[in-house]
């Protein structure tokens, strides 16, 4: 059992989930409550990673994050290091790869809130920011939790995009899915089976949680 790969996987999934909850909430709020020119283009861009093959996402991330790329060049100028083949690099890749799974459930949850609650908060003198934090977020917890679960599950299962951006550096970028792939390549099926087996109870438990959250949201 490659415990180090499992550790990197869970660490990556947890960090991705936390960061995406922060990033996706205002994006979902914007898409749920505002009309503006180019809204459909922005929404399509947010959901685009869900429609693209992971290798396509990985390829363009390599282009952007390489020392000759726009982001990679800026990063290297300020830090002297590279984004590729680092934990930070695969974290960025994981965030981009999973952002649709955070925004969509949040947007759906925000859209279901009774507009009269929002109007009442404005009448009481709350600002839009205060309304978002004190009215929208508390009334959308099931949707936010569902988004967090989906992002976490999607992150632990990521493979192609992480392999392209991060390679397979033990303790740094080698996640469980890559460890399974490498074990199968070397015909070490027992090692691959042990790692694969560890995913089943985790994924099953989170799927049960999603079902429970969906049931609660209907009541």
């Amino acid at each position: 059992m490659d415990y180090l790969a499992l550790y990197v996987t869970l660490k990556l999934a947890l960090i991705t989930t936390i960061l995406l909850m922060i990033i996706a909430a205002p994006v979902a709020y914007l898409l749920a409550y505002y009309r503006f020119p180019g809204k459909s283009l922005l929404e399509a861009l947010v959901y685009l990673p869900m429609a693209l093959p992971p290798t396509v996402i990985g390829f363009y991330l390599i282009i952007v994050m390489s020392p000759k790329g726009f982001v990679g060049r800026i990063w290297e100028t300020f830090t002297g290091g590279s984004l590729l083949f680092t934990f930070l690099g695969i974290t960025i890749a994981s965030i981009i790869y999973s952002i649709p799974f955070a925004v969509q459930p949040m947007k759906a949850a925000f859209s279901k809130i009774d507009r009269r609650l929002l109007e009442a908060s404005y009448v009481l003198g709350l600002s839009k920011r205060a309304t978002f934090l004190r009215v929208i977020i508390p009334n959308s917890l099931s949707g936010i939790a569902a988004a967090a679960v989906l992002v976490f599950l999607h992150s632990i299962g990521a493979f192609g995009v992480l392999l392209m951006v991060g390679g397979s550096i033990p303790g740094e970028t080698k996640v469980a899915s890559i460890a399974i792939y490498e074990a199968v390549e070397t015909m070490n099926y027992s090692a691959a089976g042990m790692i694969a087996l560890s995913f089943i109870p985790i994924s099953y438990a989170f799927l049960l949680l999603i079902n429970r959250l969906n049931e609660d949201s209907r009541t």
Side-chain angles (χ1 to χ4, degrees):
M1 173 76 79
D2 193 339
Y3 292 105
L4 193 56
L6 285 174
Y7 166 73
V8 174
T9 302
L10 295 176
K11 176 183 173 183
L12 175 65
L14 182 61
I15 292 174
T16 299
T17 302
I18 293 171
L19 292 178
L20 268 181
M21 292 305 97
I22 298 170
I23 295 168
V27 175
Y29 173 77
L30 183 68
L31 294 176
Y33 292 113
Y34 286 89
R35 295 181 180 275
F36 53 88
K39 177 182 176 180
S40 60
L41 296 177
L42 174 62
E43 192 163 9
L45 181 63
V46 169
Y47 295 149
L48 186 60
M50 192 163 51
L52 290 174
T55 49
V56 173
I57 300 172
F59 170 74
Y60 283 108
L61 285 175
I62 289 174
I63 298 299
V64 172
M65 294 165 62
S66 71
K68 294 183 179 180
F70 175 70
V71 175
R73 186 166 60 250
I74 293 174
W75 179 260
E76 189 174 42
T77 299
F78 284 98
T79 67
S82 174
L83 280 173
L84 295 178
F85 307 108
T86 64
F87 183 79
L88 177 59
I90 64 172
T91 301
I92 295 171
S94 182
I95 288 171
I96 293 172
Y97 184 49
S98 297
I99 193 169
F101 297 90
V103 173
Q104 200 281 330
M106 285 193 191
K107 181 193 172 188
F110 293 167
S111 299
K112 289 180 181 178
I113 295 176
D114 192 335
R115 296 300 177 103
R116 289 174 295 182
L117 289 176
L118 307 183
E119 293 170 2
S121 70
Y122 297 144
V123 169
L124 292 172
L126 292 181
S127 65
K128 289 185 177 181
R129 180 181 178 183
T131 299
F132 176 69
L133 295 175
R134 297 172 62 179
V135 178
I136 295 175
I137 293 295
N139 284 280
S140 306
L141 291 180
S142 62
I144 294 171
V149 171
L150 286 172
V151 168
F152 189 86
L153 289 176
H154 194 245
S155 298
I156 65 173
F159 172 67
V161 64
L162 301 185
L163 182 62
M164 293 185 72
V165 172
S168 179
I169 304 173
E172 182 75 15
T173 64
K174 184 179 179 180
V175 294
S177 57
I178 295 175
I180 293 172
Y181 172 75
E182 291 180 348
V184 171
E185 266 199 324
T186 58
M187 296 187 179
N188 189 353
Y189 295 120
S190 60
M194 289 294 292
I195 301 171
L197 186 63
S198 67
F199 277 93
I200 295 175
I202 296 173
S203 300
Y204 186 69
F206 276 104
L207 287 173
L208 287 177
L209 179 58
I210 288 179
N211 289 336
R212 180 63 181 272
L213 291 171
N214 287 335
E215 290 174 1
D216 291 343
S217 66
R218 295 192 192 104
T219 58

